[in-house]
């Protein structure tokens, strides 16, 4: 599969694992852009989730990897934008199904939760697994067009 350009972003808690993910992408020959953070100093994870959403919107990247301590906060930030489908994954099975069923365009990882080898396995499953299509097209489409619930 054509990997396109992968954007990576993390907060301080995800910074070490982001460097590991960059090495894994280098080994595989995948082009990437690093959206920060650039060191272990404390930063706010929403800022980096928002950077990811921006990079996907403006075509700077085709998909992404987000990392904070748990993967939760940074994915919540990115998922506020309709074109982002960030999935927190803890193993190769969640990473594979995030692609097959959810057409996830962002892999979210917890730098304080999983180790580097499991994270690399997640990354490869995320890159290699195509979207399953079929019934999942309708369901993923609904994610991008939520109903107006304001009157209910
Ligand atoms: C930072 O301490 C931590 O709260 C953050 O990395 C993340 O886990 C939030 O969801």
């Amino acid at each position: 599969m054509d990997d396109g350009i992968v954007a990576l972003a993390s907060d301080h808690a995800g910074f070490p694992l982001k460097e590991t993910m960059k090495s894994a992408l280098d080994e595989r020959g995948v082009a990437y852009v690093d959206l920060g953070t650039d060191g272990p100093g404390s930063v706010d994870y929403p800022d980096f989730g928002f950077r990811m959403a921006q990079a996907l919107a403006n075509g700077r990247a085709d998909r992404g990897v987000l990392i904070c301590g748990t993967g939760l906060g940074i994915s919540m930030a990115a998922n506020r934008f309709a074109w982002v489908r960030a999935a927190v994954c803890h193993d190769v099975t969640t990473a594979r199904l995030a692609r097959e069923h959810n057409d996830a365009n962002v892999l979210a990882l917890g730098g304080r939760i999983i180790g580097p080898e499991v994270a690399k396995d997640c990354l490869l499953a995320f890159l290699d697994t195509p979207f399953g299509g079929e019934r999942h097209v309708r369901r993923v489409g609904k994610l991008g067009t939520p109903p107006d619930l304001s009157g209910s």
Side-chain angles (χ1 to χ4, degrees):
M1 186 189 296
D2 177 8
D3 292 316
I5 297 180
V6 176
L8 300 109
S10 76
D11 71 355
H12 53 286
F15 174 71
L17 186 57
K18 176 161 66 65
E19 299 311 292
T20 303
M21 293 296 93
K22 284 162 62 178
S23 300
L25 292 171
D26 281 334
E27 277 171 31
R28 193 188 162 111
V30 176
Y32 61 81
V33 288
D34 185 346
L35 305 176
T37 186
D38 300 323
S42 183
V43 293
D44 296 335
Y45 60 80
D47 299 332
F48 295 89
F50 298 158
R51 283 190 194 184
M52 177 63 70
Q54 184 180 43
L56 294 172
N58 66 21
R60 198 170 168 210
D62 302 294
R63 44 183 154 174
V65 178
L66 285 173
I67 313 172
C68 64
T70 57
L72 297 174
I74 203 164
S75 62
M76 288 180 188
N79 277 327
R80 296 186 66 81
F81 300 87
W83 59 90
V84 178
R85 291 180 302 282
V88 184
C89 298
H90 297 112
D91 51 41
V92 71
T93 306
T94 45
R96 174 175 62 80
L97 290 173
R99 290 286 312 126
E100 272 181 28
H101 287 201
N102 312 117
D103 199 18
N105 55 1
V106 175
L107 171 69
L109 300 170
R112 292 174 175 164
I113 305 295
I114 61 171
E117 291 303 320
V118 172
K120 279 191 233 171
D121 287 346
C122 289
L123 176 66
L124 295 182
F126 175 73
L127 292 177
D128 288 340
T129 307
F131 179 43
E134 300 179 358
R135 66 194 184 281
H136 304 298
V137 173
R138 181 181 70 251
R139 295 165 183 168
V140 171
K142 288 185 178 183
L143 290 176
T145 53
D148 180 3
L149 303 178
S150 58
S152 56

